[in-house]
Amino acid sequence: CVFTDGTGAAIGITNWLYVQMAFAALNMVFATWFQHQVWEQVKNNVTQQAGGMVVTAPSTTLPKEVVAHAFKQVMMYDLGVLFYFFVLAQQAQLGSGPRWLYSYRSVATLF
């Protein structure tokens, strides 16, 4: 696949695919980070509510309200989530199939 003019020639399909792979890796990192942040928030909430109860393993049974509250706290107040929102918006724009990709004459051979 070779683009001869315009944005397609400037970026190229290989570079576009590298960017898509970087976004995929970032999605994996964010998922792990977000789960860690929610778990830390759950531990903090339980420690404050139970007067010093220590939650060390996921085998402890917790009410769903505690987990839902921790999830909301992280979603609303963590700047990492805000950063990821903007990255996700950019990924949606770039990943939806740029116009220059469809300008290739034999796009049917790509798929």
Side-chain angles (χ1 to χ4, degrees):
C1 180
V2 177
F3 296 95
T4 57
D5 61 343
T7 307
I11 296 173
I13 192 72
T14 304
N15 290 333
W16 183 76
L17 289 174
Y18 283 143
V19 170
Q20 295 304 312
M21 287 189 294
F23 278 131
L26 184 63
N27 290 335
M28 296 296 289
V29 169
F30 177 78
T32 305
W33 172 83
F34 186 73
Q35 185 175 10
H36 172 75
Q37 291 295 97
V38 170
W39 179 243
E40 289 298 317
Q41 188 67 39
V42 165
K43 290 193 312 186
N44 289 341
N45 290 349
V46 169
T47 301
Q48 290 173 359
Q49 290 174 357
M53 177 182 151
V54 178
V55 178
T56 57
S59 63
T60 304
T61 302
L62 298 169
K64 66 179 181 178
E65 292 81 17
V66 172
V67 178
H69 179 68
F71 178 83
K72 287 178 188 175
Q73 288 292 107
V74 173
M75 282 296 288
M76 290 174 29
Y77 299 113
D78 200 308
L79 292 178
V81 174
L82 179 64
F83 167 75
Y84 184 70
F85 171 77
F86 289 120
V87 169
L88 198 60
Q90 185 65 31
Q91 180 184 5
Q93 179 192 14
L94 292 175
S96 64
R99 290 186 184 115
W100 57 265
L101 181 61
Y102 297 122
S103 68
Y104 186 64
R105 284 188 288 261
S106 61
V107 74
T109 61
L110 291 176
F111 302 103

